Amino acid sequence: MSSFEVTPQSMFFAEALPLRSGASIAGYSLAYETYGTLNAERSNAVLVCHALNASHHVAGTYAGQPKSQGWWDNMIGPGKPVDTDRFFVIGVNNLGSCFGSTGPMHVNPETGRVWGADFPVVTVEDWVDAQARLLDALGIDTLAAVMGGSLGGMQALSWTLQYPQRVKHAVVVASAPNLTAENIAFNEVARRAIVTDPDFHGGHFYAHGVLPKRGLRIARMIGHITYLSDDVMNEKFGRQLRDAAASGAAYRYSTQEVEFQIESYLRHQGDKFSEYFDANTYLLITRALDYFDPAREHGGDLSAALKSARAKFLLVSFTTDWRFSPQRSREIVNALLDNRCNVSYAEIDAPHGHDAFLLDDVRYTGVVRSYFERIALEVMS
Amino acid sequence: MSSFEVTPQSMFFAEALPLRSGASIAGYSLAYETYGTLNAERSNAVLVCHALNASHHVAGTYAGQPKSQGWWDNMIGPGKPVDTDRFFVIGVNNLGSCFGSTGPMHVNPETGRVWGADFPVVTVEDWVDAQARLLDALGIDTLAAVMGGSLGGMQALSWTLQYPQRVKHAVVVASAPNLTAENIAFNEVARRAIVTDPDFHGGHFYAHGVLPKRGLRIARMIGHITYLSDDVMNEKFGRQLRDAAASGAAYRYSTQEVEFQIESYLRHQGDKFSEYFDANTYLLITRALDYFDPAREHGGDLSAALKSARAKFLLVSFTTDWRFSPQRSREIVNALLDNRCNVSYAEIDAPHGHDAFLLDDVRYTGVVRSYFERIALEVMS
């Protein structure tokens, strides 16, 4: 599919943003991109929220970089399920991330030193507040839709609770009302790998001219295992040896060399990630995942927590996603139904695990396309 | 239940053991324990094979150490499901382990230096060969049963293929005919955490007076996640904060401090493990797991691989075990049935995940007890 050229932008916010932790952050910037045209009624805006390692670069490519497609380019663009010929789509990099918005690698204006591990803990709710300010600055009062997968879906859900009057529709894909103990456990192991890397230097590695790449590699390898299903791993890699030609040939009998294809894949993913991702950002974003739990202030009662939601909802889950299983999406669906919300729910039988939310599947993209056609009809009427 | 006193023993083997890798190991010792009495016919011997971090200390306690119960003390002992009043039970620490048998922390007699990372790669088949030599030395030709859980189950299965005439029964619990890509992936991440710990020193840390504890901690934390089921983790820990009294209270909002109970549990398990487990042993034993694949030499045909089996079998799996799922046990059962073997199979509905094979469950222990009563009848007839 042909792509379209996009340009990243940045907006500076002088006013301090109060955070759920009690801290606040002053003088921060948000990197963002927009696709399509805001209509005269300002009624066709769609905000796309990103997950752990993505950014504001949701769709399109950068000039002269034909391979720089945004992370949801298969879903968003001219003629695509979220059609930028009809919708004005906004992607924004979250506070604390490492792709352009203010984050731990930047200088804290109050101290003149790089934030590092002192960057304040940010939550899903804080991100939504920051996104709302960006919309204010862009002159957008009401969103036709807020949309996200995984951690992005948590932000979409939180939008409907924090700003119920500003959201017409929420599209929550492969998400959950909170993390399970197992989810937290995987995050914690990844964090410990980073924090105990001697090159982490208590989160102030920037001053030492090193990066805690060992820890980041381990974190990413763990992540990748949880993004894929057991089935797709067996199908893609199985017990294949690294050298495909040597399949059926003798083992190397080594504990440290790559023997199996899956090892090669994971090491490669870990190496790539450690080159570009910020270690403090990893800690912050996994912690935002851990902390998200709208039911918490309601004694664990999710139905009570979702009482303020006024949006219409599309929930999508994938059968082989064991990180954010369909059951977790159904919890949200049921709690919304308890509140007589307008909810559509699609459980897609896809083999790809959690990763499925980023991949092409005709049933999945078909559901999203239909839903946005319905939104378009509402917006234009 | 009252326990009984046991004493570890050691046997030295001067003759070199040829290994599957093509290497061999000369002048090694095996640590072992025995419980009960070998009958005059030498027909009541039961060999128990251990998994990743266990040892020859299967049952009983050491003198003056009332809390030193063996790792399968609930299953094996006087009057227990594997009744040492009837059976002569042998536990043996595998080559390359770190609990008494020759391993990477010992001196290679050929070089006069500690083996470290140069300890040869050992396989399940090599361990079985070493165990067979121990039985030779003990004057035991035929086993009433060979028994093990997880990696121990792989050894039990391999016994029936390598020494079909020497095994009457094999009890294979929570095991698999080989590792899936996901299993290998978890092993690989754990190994990378160890190998990239700067204190690993290429596997020769002994000479540096340090231990790669950071890597071992991460490895153990990953392991623990895979031993438990999502259900039991949610039940035991859920989203409880560390300070139970503070449950419902405010979050700490910290990326590095312990916030959730599950984090505290995992860190504690990691810390404990890093104090006693050898890093090179971890690499060796996870690699033995990766390599085990009796169907490999038969083009992936497990039925063909199990053709030489002559033993009778009891297979047991646990419904919530996602590390070695019931499906994997059923593959073995079906391949044995293809060969018209005598197979009993119990799928136990237990919430504890892979760990269930070490825990008390009346249905599980009942099945094992009945099976060994049947073996006892055969042995005594």
Coordinates of all heavy atoms in Angstrom, one line a residue, chain A residues 21 121 178-182 185-186 188 191-193 195-196 200 214 218 225 230 233-234 238-239 241 249 251 253-255 257 259 263 266-267 287 290-291 293 296, chain B residues 21 121 178-182 185-186 188 191-193 196 214 218 225 230 233-234 238-239 241 249 251 253-257 259 263 266-267 287 290-291 293 296:
Chain A
S21 N 1.3 11.0 41.5 CA 2.2 10.7 42.5 C 2.3 11.9 43.6 O 2.9 11.7 44.6 CB 3.6 10.5 42.0 OG 4.1 11.7 41.4
V121 N 7.5 9.6 38.4 CA 6.7 8.5 38.0 C 5.4 9.0 37.4 O 4.8 9.8 37.9 CB 6.4 7.5 39.2 CG1 5.3 6.5 38.8 CG2 7.6 6.8 39.6
N178 N -6.5 -4.0 34.3 CA -5.3 -3.9 35.2 C -4.4 -5.0 34.8 O -4.8 -5.9 34.1 CB -5.7 -3.8 36.7 CG -6.3 -5.1 37.2 OD1 -6.2 -6.2 36.6 ND2 -7.1 -4.9 38.2
L179 N -3.2 -5.0 35.4 CA -2.3 -6.2 35.1 C -2.6 -7.2 36.2 O -2.9 -7.0 37.3 CB -0.8 -5.7 35.3 CG -0.3 -4.8 34.2 CD1 1.3 -4.8 34.3 CD2 -0.7 -5.1 32.8
T180 N -2.4 -8.5 35.8 CA -2.4 -9.6 36.7 C -1.1 -9.7 37.4 O -0.1 -9.0 37.0 CB -2.6 -10.9 36.0 OG1 -1.5 -11.1 35.1 CG2 -3.9 -10.9 35.2
A181 N -1.0 -10.5 38.4 CA 0.3 -10.7 39.2 C 1.3 -11.2 38.2 O 2.5 -10.8 38.3 CB 0.0 -11.7 40.3
E182 N 0.9 -12.1 37.3 CA 1.9 -12.6 36.3 C 2.5 -11.5 35.4 O 3.7 -11.4 35.1 CB 1.3 -13.7 35.5 CG 2.3 -14.4 34.6 CD 1.6 -15.5 33.7 OE1 1.1 -15.1 32.6 OE2 1.7 -16.6 34.1
A185 N 4.8 -9.5 37.4 CA 6.0 -10.3 37.6 C 7.0 -10.2 36.4 O 8.2 -9.9 36.5 CB 5.7 -11.8 37.8
F186 N 6.4 -10.3 35.2 CA 7.3 -10.1 34.0 C 7.9 -8.7 33.9 O 9.1 -8.6 33.6 CB 6.5 -10.4 32.7 CG 6.4 -11.9 32.4 CD1 5.1 -12.5 32.3 CD2 7.5 -12.7 32.2 CE1 5.0 -13.9 32.0 CE2 7.4 -14.1 31.9 CZ 6.1 -14.6 31.8
E188 N 8.5 -6.8 36.4 CA 9.5 -6.7 37.5 C 10.8 -7.3 37.2 O 11.9 -6.8 37.4 CB 8.9 -7.2 38.8 CG 9.9 -7.3 40.0 CD 10.3 -6.0 40.5 OE1 9.9 -4.9 40.0 OE2 11.1 -6.0 41.5
R191 N 12.6 -5.1 34.8 CA 13.2 -3.9 35.5 C 14.4 -4.3 36.3 O 15.4 -3.6 36.4 CB 12.1 -3.3 36.5 CG 11.1 -2.4 35.8 CD 10.2 -1.7 36.8 NE 9.5 -2.5 37.6 CZ 8.2 -2.8 37.4 NH1 7.5 -2.3 36.4 NH2 7.5 -3.6 38.3
R192 N 14.3 -5.5 37.0 CA 15.5 -5.9 37.8 C 16.7 -6.1 36.9 O 17.9 -5.8 37.3 CB 15.2 -7.1 38.6 CG 14.2 -7.0 39.7 CD 14.3 -5.8 40.6 NE 15.5 -5.8 41.4 CZ 16.0 -4.8 42.1 NH1 15.4 -3.6 42.0 NH2 17.0 -4.9 42.9
A193 N 16.5 -6.6 35.7 CA 17.6 -6.9 34.8 C 18.2 -5.5 34.5 O 19.5 -5.4 34.4 CB 17.1 -7.6 33.5
V195 N 18.0 -2.5 36.2 CA 18.5 -1.8 37.4 C 19.7 -2.4 38.0 O 20.6 -1.7 38.5 CB 17.3 -1.8 38.5 CG1 17.9 -1.4 39.9 CG2 16.2 -0.8 38.1
T196 N 19.9 -3.8 37.8 CA 21.1 -4.4 38.4 C 22.2 -4.5 37.4 O 23.3 -5.0 37.7 CB 20.8 -5.8 38.9 OG1 20.3 -6.6 37.8 CG2 19.7 -5.8 40.0
F200 N 23.9 0.7 34.7 CA 22.7 1.5 35.0 C 23.1 2.7 35.9 O 22.5 3.8 35.8 CB 21.6 0.7 35.6 CG 20.3 1.4 35.8 CD1 19.5 1.9 34.8 CD2 19.8 1.6 37.1 CE1 18.3 2.6 35.0 CE2 18.6 2.3 37.4 CZ 17.9 2.7 36.3
R214 N 22.9 -4.5 28.6 CA 22.7 -5.9 29.0 C 21.3 -6.0 29.6 O 20.5 -6.9 29.2 CB 23.7 -6.3 30.1 CG 25.1 -6.3 29.7 CD 25.9 -6.7 31.0 NE 27.3 -6.3 30.9 CZ 27.7 -5.1 31.4 NH1 26.9 -4.3 32.0 NH2 29.0 -4.8 31.4
I218 N 17.9 -8.1 28.0 CA 17.1 -9.1 28.8 C 15.6 -8.7 28.8 O 14.7 -9.5 28.6 CB 17.7 -9.3 30.2 CG1 19.1 -9.8 30.1 CG2 16.8 -10.2 31.0 CD1 19.3 -11.2 29.5
I225 N 8.9 -12.7 24.4 CA 8.3 -14.0 24.7 C 6.8 -13.8 25.0 O 5.9 -14.6 24.6 CB 9.0 -14.8 25.8 CG1 10.5 -15.0 25.5 CG2 8.3 -16.1 26.2 CD1 11.3 -15.7 26.6
D230 N 2.5 -19.3 22.2 CA 3.3 -20.5 22.1 C 3.1 -21.1 20.7 O 4.1 -21.6 20.1 CB 2.7 -21.5 23.2 CG 3.6 -22.7 23.5 OD1 4.8 -22.6 23.2 OD2 3.1 -23.7 24.0
M233 N 5.1 -19.2 18.0 CA 6.5 -19.5 18.2 C 6.9 -20.9 17.7 O 8.0 -21.0 17.1 CB 6.8 -19.5 19.7 CG 7.4 -18.2 20.2 SD 8.3 -18.4 21.7 CE 8.5 -16.7 22.2
N234 N 6.0 -21.8 18.0 CA 6.3 -23.2 17.5 C 6.3 -23.2 15.9 O 7.1 -23.9 15.3 CB 5.3 -24.2 18.0 CG 5.7 -24.6 19.5 OD1 6.9 -24.6 19.8 ND2 4.7 -24.9 20.3
G238 N 9.8 -23.2 16.2 CA 9.9 -24.6 16.6 C 11.2 -24.9 17.3 O 11.7 -24.1 18.1
R239 N 11.7 -26.1 16.9 CA 13.0 -26.5 17.5 C 14.1 -26.4 16.4 O 15.2 -27.0 16.5 CB 13.0 -27.9 18.0 CG 12.0 -28.0 19.2 CD 12.0 -29.4 19.7 NE 13.3 -30.0 20.0 CZ 14.0 -29.7 21.1 NH1 13.5 -29.0 22.1 NH2 15.2 -30.2 21.3
L241 N 17.2 -25.5 14.3 CA 18.5 -25.0 14.6 C 18.8 -23.7 13.8 O 18.1 -23.4 12.8 CB 19.6 -26.1 14.3 CG 19.3 -27.4 15.0 CD1 20.5 -28.3 14.7 CD2 19.2 -27.2 16.5
A249 N 21.1 -31.9 11.3 CA 22.5 -32.2 11.5 C 22.7 -32.2 13.1 O 21.8 -32.1 13.9 CB 23.3 -31.1 10.9
Y251 N 23.9 -31.3 16.9 CA 23.9 -30.2 17.8 C 25.4 -29.7 17.9 O 26.3 -30.4 17.7 CB 23.4 -30.6 19.1 CG 22.0 -30.9 19.3 CD1 21.6 -31.9 20.2 CD2 21.0 -30.1 18.7 CE1 20.2 -32.2 20.4 CE2 19.6 -30.3 19.0 CZ 19.3 -31.4 19.8 OH 17.9 -31.6 20.1
Y253 N 26.3 -28.6 20.8 CA 26.6 -28.9 22.2 C 27.4 -27.7 22.9 O 28.6 -27.8 23.2 CB 27.4 -30.2 22.4 CG 26.5 -31.4 22.0 CD1 26.7 -32.1 20.8 CD2 25.5 -31.8 22.9 CE1 25.9 -33.2 20.5 CE2 24.7 -32.9 22.5 CZ 24.9 -33.5 21.4 OH 24.1 -34.6 21.0
S254 N 26.7 -26.6 22.9 CA 27.3 -25.4 23.6 C 26.3 -24.8 24.4 O 25.1 -24.7 24.1 CB 27.7 -24.4 22.5 OG 27.9 -23.1 23.0
T255 N 26.7 -24.2 25.6 CA 25.7 -23.5 26.5 C 25.6 -22.1 26.1 O 24.7 -21.4 26.5 CB 26.1 -23.7 27.9 OG1 27.4 -23.1 28.1 CG2 26.1 -25.1 28.4
E257 N 26.8 -20.5 22.8 CA 26.5 -20.2 21.4 C 25.0 -20.3 21.1 O 24.3 -21.1 21.8 CB 27.3 -21.1 20.5 CG 28.8 -20.8 20.5 CD 29.5 -21.9 19.7 OE1 29.5 -21.8 18.5 OE2 30.0 -22.9 20.3
E259 N 22.1 -22.0 19.4 CA 21.9 -23.3 18.8 C 20.6 -23.3 18.1 O 20.5 -23.8 17.0 CB 21.9 -24.3 20.0 CG 21.6 -25.7 19.6 CD 22.9 -26.4 19.0 OE1 23.7 -26.9 19.8 OE2 23.0 -26.4 17.7
E263 N 16.6 -18.6 19.7 CA 17.6 -17.9 20.4 C 18.2 -16.8 19.6 O 18.4 -15.6 20.1 CB 18.7 -18.8 20.8 CG 18.2 -20.0 21.8 CD 19.3 -21.0 22.0 OE1 20.2 -21.3 21.1 OE2 19.3 -21.5 23.1
L266 N 15.6 -13.9 19.4 CA 15.5 -13.2 20.7 C 16.7 -12.3 20.9 O 16.6 -11.1 21.3 CB 15.3 -14.1 21.9 CG 13.9 -14.7 22.0 CD1 13.9 -15.6 23.2 CD2 12.8 -13.7 22.2
R267 N 17.9 -12.8 20.6 CA 19.1 -12.0 20.8 C 19.1 -10.8 19.9 O 19.5 -9.7 20.3 CB 20.3 -12.9 20.5 CG 20.6 -13.9 21.6 CD 22.0 -14.4 21.5 NE 22.2 -15.6 22.3 CZ 23.4 -16.2 22.4 NH1 24.5 -15.7 21.9 NH2 23.5 -17.3 23.2
R287 N 6.0 0.6 34.8 CA 5.4 1.0 36.1 C 4.0 1.6 35.9 O 3.1 1.3 36.6 CB 6.2 2.0 36.8 CG 6.5 1.7 38.3 CD 6.1 0.4 38.8 NE 6.8 0.2 40.1 CZ 6.6 -0.9 40.8 NH1 5.9 -1.9 40.3 NH2 7.2 -1.1 42.0
D290 N 1.8 -1.3 35.5 CA 1.5 -1.9 36.8 C 0.5 -1.1 37.6 O -0.4 -1.7 38.3 CB 2.8 -1.9 37.7 CG 3.9 -2.9 37.2 OD1 3.7 -3.6 36.2 OD2 5.0 -2.8 37.8
Y291 N 0.6 0.2 37.6 CA -0.2 1.0 38.4 C -1.7 1.2 37.9 O -2.6 1.4 38.7 CB 0.4 2.4 38.6 CG 1.5 2.5 39.6 CD1 2.7 3.2 39.3 CD2 1.4 1.8 40.8 CE1 3.7 3.3 40.3 CE2 2.5 1.8 41.7 CZ 3.6 2.6 41.5 OH 4.6 2.6 42.4
D293 N -5.2 0.8 37.2 CA -6.2 0.0 37.9 C -7.4 0.8 38.3 O -7.6 1.1 39.5 CB -5.6 -0.7 39.2 CG -6.5 -1.7 39.8 OD1 -7.5 -2.1 39.2 OD2 -6.1 -2.2 40.9
R296 N -9.4 0.2 41.5 CA -8.8 0.2 42.8 C -9.5 1.2 43.8 O -9.6 0.9 45.0 CB -7.3 0.6 42.6 CG -6.5 0.4 43.9 CD -5.0 0.5 43.5 NE -4.2 0.3 44.7 CZ -3.9 1.3 45.5 NH1 -4.2 2.6 45.1 NH2 -3.2 1.1 46.6
Chain B
S21 N 28.1 -35.4 23.3 CA 28.8 -34.3 22.5 C 30.0 -34.8 21.8 O 30.6 -34.0 21.0 CB 29.2 -33.2 23.5 OG 30.2 -33.6 24.4
V121 N 29.4 -30.2 28.0 CA 27.9 -30.2 27.9 C 27.4 -31.7 28.1 O 27.9 -32.6 27.5 CB 27.4 -29.7 26.5 CG1 25.9 -30.0 26.3 CG2 27.7 -28.2 26.5
N178 N 9.9 -33.1 24.5 CA 11.0 -32.1 24.2 C 10.5 -30.7 24.6 O 9.3 -30.6 25.0 CB 11.3 -32.1 22.7 CG 10.2 -31.7 21.8 OD1 9.3 -31.0 22.2 ND2 10.2 -32.2 20.6
L179 N 11.3 -29.7 24.5 CA 10.9 -28.3 24.9 C 10.3 -27.7 23.6 O 10.7 -27.9 22.5 CB 12.1 -27.5 25.3 CG 12.7 -27.8 26.7 CD1 13.6 -26.6 27.1 CD2 11.7 -28.2 27.7
T180 N 9.3 -26.8 23.9 CA 8.8 -26.0 22.8 C 9.7 -24.8 22.6 O 10.6 -24.6 23.4 CB 7.4 -25.4 23.2 OG1 7.5 -24.6 24.3 CG2 6.4 -26.5 23.5
A181 N 9.5 -24.1 21.5 CA 10.2 -22.8 21.3 C 10.1 -21.9 22.5 O 11.1 -21.2 22.9 CB 9.7 -22.2 20.0
E182 N 8.9 -21.8 23.1 CA 8.7 -20.9 24.2 C 9.6 -21.3 25.4 O 10.2 -20.5 26.1 CB 7.3 -20.8 24.6 CG 7.0 -19.7 25.6 CD 5.5 -19.7 26.0 OE1 5.1 -20.6 26.8 OE2 4.7 -18.9 25.5
A185 N 13.0 -20.5 24.8 CA 13.2 -19.0 24.9 C 13.4 -18.6 26.3 O 14.3 -17.8 26.6 CB 11.9 -18.3 24.3
F186 N 12.6 -19.1 27.2 CA 12.7 -18.8 28.6 C 14.1 -19.2 29.1 O 14.8 -18.5 29.9 CB 11.6 -19.4 29.5 CG 10.3 -18.6 29.5 CD1 9.2 -19.2 29.0 CD2 10.3 -17.3 29.9 CE1 7.9 -18.5 29.0 CE2 9.1 -16.6 29.9 CZ 7.9 -17.2 29.4
E188 N 16.8 -19.5 27.4 CA 17.8 -18.7 26.8 C 17.9 -17.3 27.4 O 19.0 -16.8 27.7 CB 17.5 -18.5 25.3 CG 18.4 -17.5 24.5 CD 19.8 -17.9 24.4 OE1 20.2 -19.0 24.9 OE2 20.6 -17.1 23.8
R191 N 19.8 -17.8 30.6 CA 21.2 -18.0 30.3 C 21.9 -16.7 30.0 O 23.0 -16.4 30.4 CB 21.4 -19.0 29.2 CG 21.3 -20.4 29.6 CD 21.8 -21.4 28.5 NE 21.0 -21.3 27.3 CZ 20.0 -22.1 27.0 NH1 19.6 -23.1 27.8 NH2 19.3 -22.0 25.9
R192 N 21.2 -15.9 29.1 CA 21.8 -14.6 28.7 C 22.0 -13.7 29.9 O 23.0 -12.9 30.0 CB 21.0 -13.9 27.7 CG 20.9 -14.6 26.3 CD 22.2 -15.0 25.8 NE 23.1 -14.0 25.4 CZ 24.4 -14.1 25.1 NH1 24.9 -15.3 25.2 NH2 25.2 -13.1 24.8
A193 N 21.0 -13.7 30.9 CA 21.2 -12.9 32.1 C 22.4 -13.3 32.8 O 23.2 -12.5 33.4 CB 19.9 -13.0 32.9
T196 N 25.8 -12.6 30.6 CA 26.2 -11.2 30.4 C 26.4 -10.5 31.8 O 26.7 -9.3 31.8 CB 25.1 -10.4 29.6 OG1 23.9 -10.4 30.3 CG2 24.9 -11.1 28.2
R214 N 23.7 -11.4 40.1 CA 22.7 -10.6 39.4 C 22.0 -11.5 38.3 O 20.8 -11.6 38.2 CB 23.3 -9.5 38.6 CG 24.0 -8.5 39.5 CD 24.5 -7.3 38.5 NE 25.6 -6.6 39.1 CZ 26.9 -6.9 39.0 NH1 27.2 -8.0 38.3 NH2 27.8 -6.2 39.6
I218 N 18.0 -13.1 38.2 CA 17.1 -12.9 37.1 C 16.6 -14.2 36.5 O 15.4 -14.5 36.3 CB 17.7 -12.1 35.9 CG1 18.1 -10.7 36.4 CG2 16.8 -12.0 34.7 CD1 17.0 -9.8 36.8
I225 N 8.3 -17.6 37.6 CA 7.0 -17.2 36.9 C 6.5 -18.4 36.1 O 5.3 -18.6 36.1 CB 7.3 -16.0 35.9 CG1 7.7 -14.8 36.7 CG2 6.0 -15.6 35.1 CD1 8.1 -13.6 35.9
D230 N -1.0 -18.7 36.2 CA -1.5 -17.3 36.3 C -2.6 -17.3 37.5 O -2.6 -16.4 38.3 CB -2.2 -17.0 35.0 CG -2.5 -15.5 34.9 OD1 -1.9 -14.7 35.6 OD2 -3.4 -15.2 34.0
M233 N -1.0 -17.5 41.0 CA -0.3 -16.2 41.2 C -1.3 -15.1 41.6 O -1.1 -14.3 42.5 CB 0.4 -15.7 40.0 CG 1.8 -16.0 40.0 SD 2.7 -14.9 38.8 CE 4.2 -15.7 38.7
N234 N -2.5 -15.1 40.9 CA -3.5 -14.1 41.3 C -4.1 -14.4 42.6 O -4.4 -13.5 43.4 CB -4.6 -14.1 40.2 CG -4.2 -13.3 39.0 OD1 -3.4 -12.4 39.1 ND2 -4.7 -13.7 37.8
G238 N -2.1 -11.7 43.7 CA -2.9 -10.7 43.0 C -2.2 -9.4 42.8 O -1.1 -9.3 42.4
R239 N -2.9 -8.3 43.1 CA -2.3 -7.0 43.0 C -2.0 -6.4 44.4 O -1.9 -5.2 44.6 CB -3.3 -6.0 42.3 CG -3.5 -6.5 40.8 CD -4.3 -5.5 40.0 NE -3.9 -4.1 40.2 CZ -2.9 -3.6 39.4 NH1 -2.3 -4.3 38.5 NH2 -2.6 -2.3 39.6
L241 N -0.4 -5.0 47.6 CA 0.8 -4.2 47.8 C 1.7 -4.9 48.9 O 1.2 -5.8 49.6 CB 0.5 -2.8 48.3 CG -0.4 -2.0 47.4 CD1 -0.6 -0.6 47.8 CD2 0.2 -2.0 45.9
A249 N -4.2 1.5 50.6 CA -3.5 2.8 50.8 C -2.9 3.3 49.5 O -3.0 2.6 48.5 CB -2.5 2.6 51.9
Y251 N -0.2 4.2 46.6 CA 1.0 3.7 46.0 C 2.2 4.5 46.4 O 2.1 5.6 46.8 CB 0.9 3.8 44.4 CG -0.1 2.9 43.7 CD1 -0.8 3.4 42.6 CD2 -0.2 1.6 44.0 CE1 -1.6 2.6 41.8 CE2 -1.1 0.7 43.3 CZ -1.8 1.2 42.2 OH -2.6 0.4 41.5
Y253 N 4.6 5.0 44.3 CA 5.0 5.7 43.0 C 6.6 5.6 42.9 O 7.2 6.7 43.0 CB 4.5 7.1 42.9 CG 3.0 7.1 42.7 CD1 2.2 7.5 43.8 CD2 2.4 6.8 41.5 CE1 0.8 7.5 43.6 CE2 1.1 6.8 41.4 CZ 0.2 7.1 42.4 OH -1.1 7.1 42.2
S254 N 7.1 4.4 42.8 CA 8.5 4.2 42.6 C 8.7 3.2 41.6 O 8.0 2.2 41.4 CB 9.1 3.7 44.0 OG 10.4 3.2 43.7
T255 N 9.8 3.4 40.8 CA 10.1 2.4 39.7 C 11.0 1.3 40.3 O 11.1 0.2 39.7 CB 10.7 3.0 38.5 OG1 11.9 3.7 38.9 CG2 9.8 3.9 37.8
Q256 N 11.7 1.6 41.3 CA 12.8 0.6 41.8 C 12.4 -0.1 43.1 O 12.9 -1.1 43.4 CB 14.1 1.3 41.8 CG 14.6 1.7 40.5 CD 16.0 2.3 40.5 OE1 16.9 1.7 41.2 NE2 16.3 3.3 39.7
E257 N 11.7 0.6 43.9 CA 11.3 0.0 45.2 C 10.2 -1.1 45.0 O 9.5 -1.1 44.0 CB 10.7 1.0 46.2 CG 11.7 2.0 46.7 CD 11.0 3.0 47.5 OE1 10.7 2.8 48.7 OE2 10.8 4.1 47.0
E259 N 6.8 -2.6 45.2 CA 5.5 -2.0 45.4 C 4.5 -3.1 45.7 O 3.7 -3.1 46.6 CB 5.1 -1.2 44.2 CG 3.7 -0.5 44.2 CD 3.7 0.7 45.1 OE1 4.1 1.8 44.6 OE2 3.3 0.6 46.3
E263 N 6.4 -8.8 43.6 CA 7.7 -8.4 43.4 C 8.6 -8.8 44.6 O 9.8 -9.3 44.4 CB 7.8 -6.9 43.2 CG 7.0 -6.4 42.1 CD 6.9 -4.9 42.0 OE1 6.9 -4.2 43.1 OE2 6.9 -4.3 40.9
L266 N 9.3 -12.6 44.3 CA 10.3 -13.0 43.3 C 11.7 -12.5 43.6 O 12.6 -13.3 43.4 CB 9.9 -12.3 41.9 CG 8.7 -12.9 41.2 CD1 8.4 -12.1 39.9 CD2 8.9 -14.4 40.9
R267 N 11.8 -11.3 44.2 CA 13.2 -10.9 44.6 C 13.7 -11.8 45.6 O 14.9 -12.2 45.6 CB 13.1 -9.5 45.1 CG 12.8 -8.4 44.0 CD 13.2 -7.1 44.6 NE 12.7 -6.0 43.7 CZ 12.9 -4.7 43.9 NH1 13.7 -4.3 44.9 NH2 12.4 -3.8 43.1
R287 N 20.5 -26.4 29.2 CA 20.8 -26.9 27.9 C 20.5 -28.3 27.8 O 20.0 -28.8 26.7 CB 22.3 -26.7 27.7 CG 22.8 -26.1 26.4 CD 21.8 -25.5 25.6 NE 22.4 -24.6 24.6 CZ 21.8 -23.9 23.7 NH1 20.4 -23.9 23.7 NH2 22.4 -23.2 22.8
D290 N 17.0 -28.2 26.8 CA 16.8 -27.8 25.4 C 17.1 -29.0 24.4 O 16.4 -29.1 23.4 CB 17.8 -26.7 25.0 CG 17.5 -25.4 25.7 OD1 16.5 -25.3 26.4 OD2 18.3 -24.5 25.6
Y291 N 18.1 -29.7 24.7 CA 18.6 -30.7 23.8 C 17.7 -32.0 23.8 O 17.7 -32.7 22.8 CB 20.1 -31.1 24.1 CG 21.1 -30.1 23.6 CD1 22.2 -29.7 24.4 CD2 20.9 -29.5 22.3 CE1 23.1 -28.8 23.9 CE2 21.9 -28.6 21.8 CZ 23.0 -28.3 22.6 OH 23.9 -27.4 22.2
D293 N 15.3 -34.6 23.1 CA 14.3 -34.7 22.0 C 14.5 -36.1 21.3 O 15.0 -36.2 20.2 CB 14.6 -33.6 21.0 CG 13.6 -33.5 19.9 OD1 12.5 -34.1 20.0 OD2 13.8 -32.7 18.9
R296 N 14.0 -36.6 17.6 CA 14.8 -35.9 16.6 C 15.5 -36.9 15.6 O 15.6 -36.6 14.4 CB 15.9 -35.1 17.4 CG 16.7 -34.1 16.5 CD 17.4 -33.1 17.3 NE 18.1 -32.2 16.5 CZ 19.4 -32.5 16.1 NH1 20.0 -33.6 16.5 NH2 20.0 -31.6 15.3

